[in-house]
């Protein structure tokens, strides 16, 4: 009987350790999801810049500079220019990349009156 309890105890302990390890991996990945984006941006030498328009509004963008033709990347809703980080290495082989943050996203101006198509 003692042997059965000992084996059961080891199985429970092993299960607890397994659950703790799985949670730790899950937690780490969720807290460090952006690391791969930062490494990709650094690898291609992407630089974040801003331009202030005559109206005073700011457009934030990232640039991967080279002597190739220009390519403008415009992200979708709820995005920012860094969303393209994992694609920039391949794209920069053929293009000088400009990736913008549209109004209301990233570091661009957050003025609700600018969110309409006619603006």
């Amino acid at each position: 009987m003692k042997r059965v309890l000992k084996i059961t105890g080891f199985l429970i302990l092993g299960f607890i350790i397994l659950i703790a390890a799985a949670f730790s991996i899950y937690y780490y990945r969720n807290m460090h999801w952006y690391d791969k984006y930062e490494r990709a941006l650094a690898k291609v030498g992407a630089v974040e810049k801003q331009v202030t328009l005559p109206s005073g509004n700011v457009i934030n963008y990232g640039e991967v500079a080279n002597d190739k033709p220009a390519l403008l990347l415009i992200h979708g809703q709820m995005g920012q220019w860094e969303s393209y980080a994992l694609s920039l290495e391949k794209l920069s082989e053929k293009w000088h990349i400009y990736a913008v943050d549209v109004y209301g996203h990233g570091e661009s101006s957050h003025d609700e009156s600018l969110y309409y198509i006619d603006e």
Side-chain angles (χ1 to χ4, degrees):
M1 185 66 169
K2 286 184 181 182
R3 186 167 190 215
V4 171
L5 289 175
K6 199 177 215 182
I7 292 172
T8 304
F10 280 127
L11 288 174
I12 291 172
L13 180 62
F15 183 71
I16 290 171
I17 291 171
L18 182 66
I19 294 296
F23 177 77
S24 297
I25 291 168
Y26 174 80
Y27 178 81
Y28 180 83
R29 284 186 170 178
N30 279 290
M31 296 305 291
H32 297 274
W33 66 271
Y34 196 72
D35 292 350
K36 65 183 173 184
Y37 287 81
E38 289 178 341
R39 286 191 300 273
L41 292 171
K43 185 174 182 179
V44 297
V47 178
E48 186 169 30
K49 298 180 178 182
Q50 291 186 339
V51 62
T52 303
L53 303 175
S55 64
N57 295 311
V58 174
I59 296 291
N60 188 63
Y61 67 97
E63 180 179 6
V64 179
N66 55 39
D67 59 350
K68 311 260 190 291
L71 176 66
L72 177 63
L73 302 175
I74 304 171
H75 62 77
Q77 285 293 77
M78 305 305 292
Q80 56 190 24
W81 78 267
E82 291 97 334
S83 302
Y84 291 104
L86 302 179
S87 304
L88 290 179
E89 182 177 8
K90 191 71 172 166
L91 288 172
S92 66
E93 292 173 4
K94 296 183 179 183
W95 305 98
H96 180 124
I97 307 291
Y98 296 97
V100 299
D101 282 338
V102 297
Y103 288 132
H105 296 78
E107 299 298 319
S108 289
S109 293
H110 289 255
D111 179 359
E112 193 173 319
S113 68
L114 300 172
Y115 301 172
Y116 300 96
I117 193 74
D118 56 335
E119 290 294 324

